[in-house]
Amino acid sequence: MDKQQLEQQIDQFINNEMSPAERRDFSQKLETDKNLKQQVKLRMLLIEGELIRAEKEARTAMEASKGGYIRPWITTVACVVFVLVGIGLYVGNSYRYTPQEIYAAYYEVPIIERARGEGLADEIALYNQQIINAYEKQQYKVIAELYQKKNLFDMLDTFPVSTQLYISIAFMEQKKEQEAIPLLLSLIDTQYKEEAEWLLLCCYMKTNDRNKALQMVERIKDNNGIYMQKTTFIEQLLKEKKWF
């Protein structure tokens, strides 16, 4: 696919012009193709800039109309519609993006510095090292199977927090977000709270739970941490209405 075709496909995705099957296939590509994901992000930023410009132009037009004979509320509506139509956009009542689509564009695994594991009981230390080794090789299925077969849930509190995050990520990578969510919820008051909150936001987006995703956005914003900027933009996408 050449550059022009790719740009056209990205615009079709953003403008909701794909069929359900095409949109599903494109979202799946976003999960694995980092270059495509970056290009979609850049295009979304460009659209955001166009909307900000449109809003400024609408306000300027409304200010210029003051003192005329047209009733203020008519002038306001006319100016906004005129500017939005001028850039080919108009606001509707449905959301522009599904949380899953935003997840596909923005999900990334945080860098987690692993704990050394000193002071662990022998059995826990053995499992801990197996999980670390598998995680470093991106063998997420191995981690998920080990967790389930050995009933590690009953011993979870004895593992380092970093290892618990590895287990959570392994479930996410296995598309088992519902199993990752309770693990992550137990970690939001630990030293890895920022990573846990970010992964929870990703889980809620992947499971298409817009309300819980927005609640997690507010929590991350209140903490003003390392994911603040990215989360603020995700919030805009979660709230953005469909333009048509």
Side-chain angles (χ1 to χ4, degrees), residues 154-220:
D154 295 332
M155 337 175 185
L156 198 59
D157 290 343
T158 61
F159 284 92
V161 176
S162 57
T163 302
Q164 295 180 51
L165 279 172
Y166 293 162
I167 296 170
S168 303
I169 292 168
F171 279 126
M172 292 178 68
E173 293 290 332
Q174 289 290 301
K175 304 187 186 303
K176 297 179 179 179
E177 286 76 21
Q178 294 296 351
E179 296 185 57
I181 287 172
L183 300 180
L184 292 167
L185 284 171
S186 68
L187 302 179
I188 57 177
D189 292 320
T190 68
Q191 70 269 35
Y192 289 93
K193 64 180 297 182
E194 291 184 88
E195 291 83 356
E197 289 171 349
W198 165 251
L199 290 170
L200 271 169
L201 171 58
C202 292
C203 281
Y204 291 141
M205 289 194 295
K206 184 62 184 293
T207 56
N208 232 18
D209 193 330
R210 193 182 303 271
N211 290 334
K212 286 188 177 179
L214 286 170
Q215 290 171 10
M216 189 53 58
V217 162
E218 289 302 318
R219 183 184 178 97
I220 293 172

Side-chain angles (χ1 to χ4, degrees), residues 1-2 22 28 33 36 43-44 60 71 100 105 123-124 132 136 142 146 158 172 187 203 215 220 235-237:
M1 182 184 300
D2 61 31
E22 289 173 332
Q28 289 175 350
D33 191 330
L36 178 61
R43 181 60 181 152
M44 286 179 173
T60 301
R71 283 178 293 176
Q100 287 179 340
E123 182 182 23
I124 299 300
I132 290 172
E136 291 177 346
V142 171
L146 177 66
T158 61
M172 292 178 68
L187 302 179
C203 281
Q215 290 171 10
I220 293 172
E235 179 184 27
Q236 294 173 5
L237 298 177

Side-chain angles (χ1 to χ4, degrees), residues 45-215:
L45 287 170
L46 178 60
I47 289 174
E48 181 188 17
E50 290 174 348
L51 295 178
I52 292 172
R53 176 178 59 80
E55 180 185 7
K56 289 179 180 178
E57 290 179 3
R59 288 178 179 175
T60 301
M62 284 186 283
E63 288 295 324
S65 71
K66 287 181 178 178
Y69 296 100
I70 302 176
R71 283 178 293 176
W73 69 271
I74 295 179
T75 302
T76 301
V77 173
C79 290
V80 172
V81 172
F82 174 79
V83 174
L84 291 177
V85 170
I87 63 172
L89 300 172
Y90 189 75
V91 68
N93 291 321
S94 59
Y95 288 105
R96 182 178 181 87
Y97 308 106
T98 68
Q100 287 179 340
E101 290 167 347
I102 302 170
Y103 164 89
Y106 284 90
Y107 169 66
E108 63 180 17
V109 177
I111 297 174
I112 301 166
E113 183 178 351
R114 67 183 179 89
R116 294 176 179 271
E118 290 101 339
L120 299 178
D122 291 344
E123 182 182 23
I124 299 300
L126 175 63
Y127 292 145
N128 186 65
Q129 192 58 52
Q130 289 177 347
I131 291 169
I132 290 172
N133 293 341
Y135 186 84
E136 291 177 346
K137 297 176 182 177
Q138 297 185 349
Q139 296 174 340
Y140 303 118
K141 186 177 180 180
V142 171
I143 297 173
E145 289 179 347
L146 177 66
Y147 179 84
Q148 292 169 329
K149 289 180 179 178
K150 299 298 182 179
N151 295 318
L152 298 187
F153 176 79
D154 295 332
M155 337 175 185
L156 198 59
D157 290 343
T158 61
F159 284 92
V161 176
S162 57
T163 302
Q164 295 180 51
L165 279 172
Y166 293 162
I167 296 170
S168 303
I169 292 168
F171 279 126
M172 292 178 68
E173 293 290 332
Q174 289 290 301
K175 304 187 186 303
K176 297 179 179 179
E177 286 76 21
Q178 294 296 351
E179 296 185 57
I181 287 172
L183 300 180
L184 292 167
L185 284 171
S186 68
L187 302 179
I188 57 177
D189 292 320
T190 68
Q191 70 269 35
Y192 289 93
K193 64 180 297 182
E194 291 184 88
E195 291 83 356
E197 289 171 349
W198 165 251
L199 290 170
L200 271 169
L201 171 58
C202 292
C203 281
Y204 291 141
M205 289 194 295
K206 184 62 184 293
T207 56
N208 232 18
D209 193 330
R210 193 182 303 271
N211 290 334
K212 286 188 177 179
L214 286 170
Q215 290 171 10

